[in-house]
Amino acid sequence: MPRLSVWYIRAALVYLLLGFTFGGLLLFHKGVPLHPTLWRLLPAHIEFVFFGWTVQLILGMAFWILPRFAKPPVRGNEPLAWAAFIAINAGILLLAAASFLPGSGWLILAGRAAETMGVIAFALHAWPRVRAS
């Protein structure tokens, strides 16, 4: 398995653990109220489980499994795929931090922009591997 796929999948598993932990705390809080500010974990929980776990697992597997048509077989533009990994994780962390900071609309915008740039970078990396020459 390529090193980048390993990093994507490891990061996805970390986000799964964090997302399930936050979700478990929120679920426990519904039955036994702990503190009212605990609900600030909800946006981070959603972000960790959706973008952190699901999207990164998909991208890590796609980097590994997508066909390689070139001779010799190459995985495409790897620096672009690494940039996608960094941008997506930066976006996830910015959005998680935004849920704890009041008046952080700019942080939400920056996080979504980073995630969007990461997805576009990965699509640019993967497109030559999907399209038959």
Side-chain angles (χ1 to χ4, degrees), residues 5 60-68 75 129:
S5 288
M61 294 302 292
F63 184 78
W64 180 32
I65 291 177
L66 283 176
R68 295 172 285 170
R75 297 198 184 275
R129 293 176 66 184

Side-chain angles (χ1 to χ4, degrees), residues 93-109:
L93 295 175
L94 284 172
L95 286 161
S99 63
F100 297 107
L101 301 172
S104 57
W106 63 272
L107 208 54
I108 294 171
L109 181 64

Side-chain angles (χ1 to χ4, degrees), residues 3 40 48 56 77 89 92 101 117 121 128 131:
R3 181 175 304 279
R40 288 188 180 181
F48 286 167
Q56 287 204 94
N77 187 351
N89 282 292
I92 292 168
L101 301 172
M117 286 188 304
R131 172 186 62 84

